[in-house]
Amino acid sequence: MAKGEGAEQYSNASLLNKPVSSDGIKLAGKRESRNRLSICNKLCYAVGGAPYQITGCALGFFLQIYLLDVAQLDPFYASIILFVGRAWDAITDPTVGFLVSRSPWTRFGRMLPWILLSTPLAVLSYFLIWYVPPFEDGKVIWYLVFYCLFQTLQTCFHVPYSALTMFISSEQKERDSATAYRMTVEVLGTVIGTAVQGQIVGMANAPCVPVPSDITDKLGNSSASLPTAGPEINTSEPAISLEHTRAAYMIASGVICAIYILCAVVLFFGVREQKDSCRPRSEPMSFFQGIRLVMGHGPYAKLVTGFLFTSLAFMLLEGNFALFCSYTLGFRNDFQNILLVIMLSATLAIPFWQWFLTRFGKKTAVYVGTTSVVPFMILVVCVKSNLIVTYFVSFAAGVGVAAAFLLPWSMLPDVVDDFKVQNPDSTGHEAIFYSFYVFFTKFASGVSLGISTLSLDFAGYITRGCSQPEEVDLTLKLLVSAAPIVLILVGLLIFISYPINEEVRQGNRKLLQEQRDSEADSETDSTELANMV
């Protein structure tokens, strides 16, 4: 804090010693007006975050169950696809971040061209993920190739979009407001992804396949009226076949692809990118130099590590919740509605958390928001299976999910600002900070999803089975409750040492504003001198 106070005193002293002219006041007014974003600008910027969440939600909630029960892959191969796809996605983030940081300025900006050019190929590869090829031998390669390809192209969209936060305005208040708009739309995107994917697929949900234990139980419980067991174990062709389910997945992916394109167009034409500084950017750096740069900044390392564990907890819950609802809770035909309730609740809670972090500070919001979901993680596995209780728990858990969505993206700009204050000569590295955050999160989530799917294989998971062994039920309970809770607690312990509180954040804002004013004054003086000459 002493450093922050000294810097603030230096800032005040320099402001007192600087003569203020009427031209300076006018120039400051123009800069303030330029940095102010209209509601339309914020909405157009926010809409750009929807494609990532819509596709991410559909893949996160449904890809595992799709690979296991619809594409009918062995759980081992499904775990390989999930792990390699997420790990590859993680590697592409810093790579694209470096490429973006080296991109030249165009009349559309540096970030927006990446977003526009990556969209067509991204939607094509996404559509092919949900297509079951007519061959068996190369099916694993098919899903692995198109999953990795989509993750790469989506990274070319999302990394520039995330870094765009620093270029829509130089004012912290405007960026925080735009981030709140973005998080609201992104959570709404998860609702759209869950609704489109869940409702379309849910209407064509192929019946489960009775396993030997189901048939034995039916026969043992119906000695007096054996024929009544017939409809339950009938192996004739069902009214809704597996082909209908596969077609439903393709229809859902087509709708999501159309929304993806629409959002990209709105973002491109509705947002104007601003140059970050009149100073030249620093020289590009290598991958390992980038790691040393971002992880060498203490606040960033603590923020990323803390959110790594908390985000991992929610990703573990997301990836296994559809299976948990279908098999452990027995709500095979209702799980898509349960997921929809979680996302609707999260959407409604975003404005509340934005108010909360403004009123009590972002660090306090992390503790309150993240821990609010823990009691409901415990309740959902302890209470006997009840649909009404499950809906209530899902709605309450959505409030904590909203905090997990909002807070990382709201706090990352503060860390970047802190880096700029401490390293005023190192500029143009915003995309690296954002890409490495996504890199660490995605890599860890890939490991967790791969391990969780492999755990189901070891537990004896039965593809499309009407019931699962007790070992599978126990594994699913651990994956959606015990493991996420432990990860959340570890993340919160790390956040204790996170140094950027509200006082430090406001001090950084003043110092950066002084830097911008000084640069603008220097530019004005140079222009006046050129005119005099």
Side-chain angles (χ1 to χ4, degrees), residues 371-511:
T371 55
S372 64
V373 76
V374 172
F376 304 104
M377 286 181 174
I378 298 173
L379 186 63
V380 76
V381 298
C382 292
V383 177
K384 186 178 179 180
S385 179
N386 183 291
L387 187 58
I388 296 176
V389 172
T390 303
Y391 275 121
F392 169 76
V393 170
S394 301
F395 184 86
V399 178
V401 172
F405 268 97
L406 175 64
L407 291 169
W409 299 111
S410 180
M411 297 171 74
L412 272 171
D414 300 337
V415 175
V416 177
D417 284 345
D418 187 75
F419 176 83
K420 287 181 177 180
V421 168
Q422 298 187 25
N423 303 273
D425 296 326
S426 183
T427 60
H429 302 312
E430 292 83 0
I432 297 178
F433 279 89
Y434 280 86
S435 62
F436 268 104
Y437 167 71
V438 180
F439 164 76
F440 290 119
T441 304
K442 286 182 178 179
F443 188 82
S445 69
V447 173
S448 69
L449 284 178
I451 292 176
S452 64
T453 308
L454 203 57
S455 300
L456 294 175
D457 186 25
F458 291 148
Y461 179 84
I462 302 172
T463 300
R464 292 185 62 207
C466 290
S467 64
Q468 297 291 340
E470 292 183 2
E471 292 81 2
V472 172
D473 290 337
L474 177 61
T475 301
L476 287 171
K477 288 180 179 179
L478 292 174
L479 292 174
V480 303
S481 181
I485 290 173
V486 171
L487 291 169
I488 286 173
L489 294 177
V490 173
L492 294 180
L493 287 175
I494 295 172
F495 271 114
I496 294 176
S497 59
Y498 178 67
I500 302 180
N501 54 27
E502 288 304 298
E503 187 176 355
V504 173
R505 192 170 72 89
Q506 292 299 328
N508 288 340
R509 182 184 66 82
K510 292 179 181 179
L511 287 170

Side-chain angles (χ1 to χ4, degrees), residues 39 65-67 77 130 136 163 186 191 200 211 249 256 260 271 280 289 389 403 440 446-447 449 462 466 471 505 519:
I39 294 178
I65 198 170
Y66 167 81
L67 293 175
Y77 293 117
W130 303 102
E136 289 295 327
E186 286 197 4
V191 174
I200 293 177
V211 298
Y249 271 98
I256 289 176
Y260 193 117
V271 174
Q289 286 176 326
V389 172
F440 290 119
V447 173
L449 284 178
I462 302 172
C466 290
E471 292 81 2
R505 192 170 72 89
E519 291 167 5

Side-chain angles (χ1 to χ4, degrees), residues 16-135:
L16 287 173
N17 294 330
K18 184 184 298 183
V20 180
S21 63
S22 59
D23 291 338
I25 295 174
K26 291 179 181 179
L27 186 61
K30 288 181 180 180
R31 286 197 301 271
E32 183 179 356
S33 176
R34 183 187 64 186
N35 289 325
R36 186 175 295 116
L37 299 174
S38 67
I39 294 178
C40 181
N41 292 143
K42 294 175 184 177
L43 286 174
C44 290
Y45 166 73
V47 165
Y52 180 78
Q53 295 300 338
I54 292 174
T55 56
C57 185
L59 290 169
F61 279 129
F62 293 94
L63 184 59
Q64 186 183 46
I65 198 170
Y66 167 81
L67 293 175
L68 294 173
D69 288 357
V70 180
Q72 295 187 308
L73 296 179
D74 183 270
F76 174 77
Y77 293 117
S79 67
I80 294 297
I81 292 171
L82 292 172
F83 168 71
V84 174
R86 288 295 184 103
W88 174 258
D89 185 24
I91 294 172
T92 59
D93 279 291
T95 304
V96 172
F98 289 121
L99 294 175
V100 170
S101 65
R102 299 184 183 197
S103 298
W105 178 270
T106 69
R107 65 191 184 99
F108 301 110
R110 287 169 53 208
M111 309 296 164
L112 292 175
W114 282 84
I115 292 170
L116 184 68
L117 295 176
S118 64
T119 296
L121 294 175
V123 297
L124 177 61
S125 58
Y126 177 80
F127 181 79
L128 293 175
I129 290 174
W130 303 102
Y131 172 71
V132 180
F135 47 80

